Amino acid sequence: MTNFEVIKSIETDFDIKITKFKSKVTGLTVILVDRQAPLVDGYFTIATEATDDDGCPHTLEHLVFLGSELFPYKGVLDLLANRAFANGTNAWTATDHTCYTIQTAGSQGFLNLLPIYVDHILYPTLTDSGCYTEVHHINGKGEDAGVVYSEMQGRENSGESRVYLRYQRLMYPEGCGYRSETGGLMENLRVLNVETIRQYHRDYYKPDNLCLIITGKILHDELFKTLDPLDERISRKKSQIHKRPFVDSAPIPLLEKSIQEVVEFPDEDESMGQIVIAWLGPLIDEFLEINALEVLHTYLSDSAASVLQKEFVEIKDPLCTDIYIMIEPQTRTAILATFSNVPTEELEELANKVLQKFTRIVESEGIDMDRMKTVIQLAKLRILDKIETSSSYFSDASIVDHVYGKRTGEDLERATKDLKYYDQLSEFTEQQWIQYLKKYHLDNHHITLLGKPSAEFAEKLSKQEENRIEKQRETLGKEKLNELETRLEEAKKLNDVPVPSNIIEDFPIPNVDSIPFINVITGRNKSEGKFKNPVQKYLDHDSKIDIPYFIQYDHINSAFVTISLYIITTNIPFELRPYINMYLGSFYSLPLNLPDGTKLTFEQVVSQLNKDTVKYDSSLGYNGNFQQIVDFSIKVEASKYVKAIQWLNYLLWHTEFTAERLKIVASKILNEIPEAKRDGYDMTSTVMQLINFDEKLSNTYLSSTLYQEKFLPNVIKELKGNGANQVIQRFYQFRELLTKPENLRIHVYGNILKLANPKSVWNEHFKIIEAPKSLTPVPLSQQFLTEFGRNPGNQGFIVKLPAIESTFSMHTAEGPSSFDSPDLASLLVLCELLQATEGLFWKLIRGQGLAYSTNLKVDVEYGHIYFDIYKSPDAFKAYEQARKAVFGLADKKIEFDKAGFEGAKSGVIYSLVRKEGNISKAAIESFVVQVLKDMDAEYNKNLLAKVQVK
């Protein structure tokens, strides 16, 4: 008989059952989202409230992983997770909760790890030595370090963080938890002590304040067979929370007046800033109000046809490049509207214009009810799409319910009935929508923050930090610094007590056969005997007409159909290739001249696309690879399959390039560059691309941020002047070369067996061409490397970024260049062994506070191995430790241990399964493997088998 009783059982509108359980003994809550998928996700959530900037919630998020009462060894949880078909564990800290996560392939490893994970959450060791290395310490050189400290150092003075913190300070009063920086400010972290953290844990980490949210396929009996012994142990501790975070705190007071402030952030490039406008919204349990506002915000800002984007983005001289309005869940919600990449001289003017636009909508312009109907319908479809492709839809609602919802589960049921609210919203009148805009955005006091970059402020911060460090060294003195270095080394030794081998070896590795893989059935318009299955048979019976295109069909159980066009660009000459970013950016937002003589403005195109599709996208390459290919995709309801084909036909061959639209697209891309240059990792990656790739032939090089920064101003100048016609002609030339039939491969995935004529409709609704004699071979990025890219080594670059305080680095070495390389399986296991959570790199780098994280990646398509160091106080020191580990293994001074080796294999297995983690991913991977990589359909499973026997 289990301790857990059903509190609420919810049958959703999507054939997914949600059950909320609660222990009668301890109050521990479990929410199980029963969905068919190869992956099982855990979101173990604690409601956390802090009224200071010490960062206790964030420091605990890190310290929990350093050992528990039953398993008092640093890293043991991640070492075991690596054997559970997972890639370690993870966590995040929000203002109102801390969430600990795990994702496993199949349920066996998840259930094996679950009680050990909960033991770490509720009963962590929280040692002095762990706090010293993980949170903050001063090294022998007088420099501040620690994993948490390094992380906050990397973001505290970013534009986004500075603006958000100022919003918190202005919106919420002293003593309110929503006012706090729960990550911890650096000056607070420097003086935070472990006893304060322990007390915070005693206050909040109680079983009745913990909710285990699980999504995936797990049998109830198996789950409670695992949880009941754990619950019995917890019951003996007799610990309950006395005050429910936030819910039992003082309510959020409304603003008494509107406020506008300038918030400076450090950057040498002072051209682009940002605006955030914040209002308080409905109470957290006013679900209809919240859903109505989300729909209204989508109507206002979500596409080029939306009210605010037409007014401020899709104009001759854009006032920003993107607009995003979000609702933050709180006891009383907050509404934040963010305007990105605003010319600094326009910051104040744009802030005023936004509210003026809202006033005009209310007083004269009104709401376009036809478009509002489209927005509501699209919102419904996107929910279904998210449910098919992501585990986070119901987990997000479950987290909010745990923090704020009634314990009976009734709020969770209301929160997961979105379709019901959309039905109600469909009946809203224009006046009701206007009243929502008036109530929450015009008659409601607000905070406007103008984020402004400042070179002077960057210099000031830099000097302040230099002076602080220098003074710290002088104050401490040489003798004290030596003591601190000794203390650090002693702390590392205490932390790094080896985990007894029997703990690791006794933890069972699951059977691969227990993973419920998604079944994808492939067919082609020209099978040539390769495929013999129901899908191919169905296609062959569709039509005997020869379709002069390569089309691969992948059958999955989906309510949607996606069509992707993969087009090779190798025949584009150098003088046209730099226009590729503009071509991609304008693809779905140009005027159309249809074959019947009908002309559509770009606004009509975008509006009609939003009516007919669920989503549409364009990209360079796939997932960072195959960058000599462009990809255009449209996702629709299955009933609109023909419309999707028609749209791609129109967009490929019937768009009209105009100077006005091209200039807007170019300006948007150019205006986004200053923000990109504030991202340390992106800039490191960009410079590495410039080193590695050919400057005339490579899309990677010519589409890079730094190349486009020089290229686009000249294009905009031409478009403004007498050169506009020449630029337009280049785009027509670009399109003519791009759309040659030999360049095109088409992928269709969805429920193919329910499409009426999956093959023959292409002959009716897509451009008829003469079949090419042969297709252009799929190009690999490795074919476009420089001499250095082919033979990396002995060259490096330093990039100065005043906007950040952390350092980043990226290192390249030669790797396997063929997907069937006999070395690949072994190399994947080796990389996992080195970089796994609690692997060698983790212990030598993150464990010593030298970086927030590292990543070691084998990229066969590039022919490279990449090693990245992310958010480090000193990237070179981190690199030295990695080099020490690699050379130690090579020289056999460091030995592999069997348990670590088995864990690494398990980690690789998880990574391979994760590639096919939902139905869309599985279908796309089928195309990538069979077409782009030219491998057998069973390639990943065969690689998985090779990994197992290593």
Side-chain angles (χ1 to χ4, degrees), residues 156-166 263-265 457:
E156 183 173 310
N157 285 309
S158 68
E160 292 78 6
S161 292
R162 288 183 63 81
V163 168
Y164 190 82
L165 184 61
R166 190 59 190 150
V263 180
E264 288 189 326
F265 62 89
F457 186 56

Side-chain angles (χ1 to χ4, degrees), residues 567-613:
I567 310 178
I568 292 169
T569 66
T570 48
N571 65 327
I572 305 292
F574 166 68
E575 61 269 18
L576 297 179
R577 193 173 293 276
Y579 292 95
I580 198 164
N581 288 21
M582 289 178 64
Y583 184 81
L584 291 170
S586 64
F587 189 76
Y588 297 101
S589 58
L590 291 169
L592 274 179
N593 296 319
L594 299 182
D596 63 2
T598 304
K599 294 191 176 222
L600 298 179
T601 65
F602 98 88
E603 293 98 332
Q604 290 172 317
V605 169
V606 174
S607 296
Q608 197 59 47
L609 273 169
N610 287 337
K611 280 186 179 180
D612 292 340
T613 70

Side-chain angles (χ1 to χ4, degrees), residues 148-193:
V148 175
Y149 190 85
S150 295
E151 181 184 350
M152 297 311 296
Q153 186 181 46
R155 74 174 174 90
E156 183 173 310
N157 285 309
S158 68
E160 292 78 6
S161 292
R162 288 183 63 81
V163 168
Y164 190 82
L165 184 61
R166 190 59 190 150
Y167 141 73
Q168 291 177 288
R169 298 296 202 244
L170 292 172
M171 183 69 84
Y172 307 105
E174 293 279 356
C176 177
Y178 297 117
R179 180 184 174 89
S180 304
E181 171 50 90
T182 53
L185 294 178
M186 286 187 285
E187 63 177 333
N188 295 62
L189 291 170
R190 289 195 287 265
V191 296
L192 181 63
N193 63 67

Side-chain angles (χ1 to χ4, degrees), residues 216-353:
K217 202 68 189 171
I218 291 186
L219 297 175
H220 290 198
D221 288 349
E222 291 182 2
L223 176 61
F224 294 117
K225 184 179 176 183
T226 300
L227 283 179
D228 279 334
L230 172 66
D231 198 55
E232 290 295 335
R233 178 169 178 264
I234 293 171
S235 70
R236 295 194 289 271
K237 302 280 185 177
K238 295 182 180 177
S239 175
Q240 288 187 315
I241 198 155
H242 300 292
K243 172 182 174 292
R244 193 173 173 194
F246 294 102
V247 174
D248 294 335
S249 299
I252 300 170
L254 297 174
L255 283 173
E256 296 178 357
K257 62 178 181 179
S258 293
I259 302 168
Q260 179 169 304
E261 281 192 11
V262 173
V263 180
E264 288 189 326
F265 62 89
D267 196 0
E268 284 184 346
D269 186 337
E270 297 182 334
S271 61
M272 295 289 158
Q274 62 168 294
I275 297 173
V276 172
I277 307 177
W279 301 263
L280 287 172
L283 296 173
I284 189 66
D285 61 353
E286 294 180 313
F287 294 104
L288 180 62
E289 299 263 311
I290 292 170
N291 277 275
L293 280 172
E294 286 178 341
V295 168
L296 178 62
H297 297 153
T298 301
Y299 170 86
L300 290 169
S301 66
D302 83 316
S303 74
S306 65
V307 175
L308 295 180
Q309 293 229 21
K310 283 200 292 186
E311 189 89 4
F312 305 126
V313 180
E314 303 295 333
I315 57 175
K316 185 178 178 183
D317 294 305
L319 294 177
C320 59
T321 61
D322 194 21
I323 302 167
Y324 178 61
I325 308 176
M326 64 173 291
I327 298 178
E328 289 211 330
Q330 302 174 164
T331 51
R332 178 176 290 280
T333 59
I335 304 165
L336 279 78
T338 301
F339 300 78
S340 303
N341 304 305
V342 181
T344 49
E345 67 274 11
E346 302 284 356
L347 284 167
E348 190 166 353
E349 184 64 24
L350 176 57
N352 293 332
K353 285 181 175 180

Side-chain angles (χ1 to χ4, degrees), residues 52-60 63 131-132 135-136 148 183-198:
D52 53 45
D53 302 316
D54 290 349
C56 285
H58 185 203
T59 56
L60 269 173
L63 294 174
C131 181
Y132 194 67
V135 178
H136 173 264
V148 175
L185 294 178
M186 286 187 285
E187 63 177 333
N188 295 62
L189 291 170
R190 289 195 287 265
V191 296
L192 181 63
N193 63 67
V194 69
E195 188 49 47
T196 302
I197 300 170
R198 288 171 183 151

Side-chain angles (χ1 to χ4, degrees), residues 475-506:
T475 302
L476 291 169
K478 189 173 182 180
E479 185 177 339
K480 183 63 176 177
L481 288 173
N482 288 337
E483 287 178 19
L484 290 172
E485 187 65 27
T486 301
R487 181 184 172 188
L488 177 60
E489 293 305 316
E490 288 174 352
K492 289 177 186 176
K493 288 178 184 175
L494 288 171
N495 291 342
D496 293 334
V497 173
V499 180
S501 58
N502 65 296
I503 291 178
I504 307 299
E505 291 168 3
D506 290 348

